[in-house]
Amino acid sequence: MNNLGVLLRYRHKDAEAADVFAGSLAVEPNNIVLRLNLGNTLKSLGKTGEARSEFERAGELARKTLL
């Protein structure tokens, strides 16, 4: 699903990509790459507050993984 989301972003279909990334996170909520991709997509859509939340969550998950 991540690859599909990236392909949609490449084709400038960010709204569809955001749906794919969000749906994927419903199945795999601790996936850092999905969260970062969703954050970047939301940022492109001008949803900076939501993007920041995704980036913060990805950072928390990465720190937890490293520890």
Side-chain angles (χ1 to χ4, degrees), residues 5 8-9 13-25 37-38 41-42 45 47:
L8 289 167
R9 290 214 62 211
K13 297 181 178 184
D14 289 341
E16 292 176 49
D19 290 340
V20 169
F21 292 133
S24 298
L25 284 169
N37 283 336
L38 178 56
T41 304
L42 292 170
L45 291 169
K47 299 180 178 184

Side-chain angles (χ1 to χ4, degrees), residues 1 4 9 11 14 18 22 28-31 33 35 41 46-48 52 54 56 58 64-65 67:
M1 293 305 287
L4 175 59
R9 290 214 62 211
R11 293 185 168 202
D14 289 341
E28 197 173 352
N30 293 327
N31 187 308
V33 173
R35 289 213 176 267
T41 304
K47 299 180 178 184
T48 55
R52 183 171 321 166
E54 294 301 332
E56 288 173 358
K64 185 177 179 182
T65 299
L67 293 175

Side-chain angles (χ1 to χ4, degrees), residues 50-64:
E50 292 175 56
R52 183 171 321 166
S53 295
E54 294 301 332
F55 291 138
E56 288 173 358
R57 181 68 179 131
E60 291 169 8
L61 290 168
R63 281 187 289 282
K64 185 177 179 182

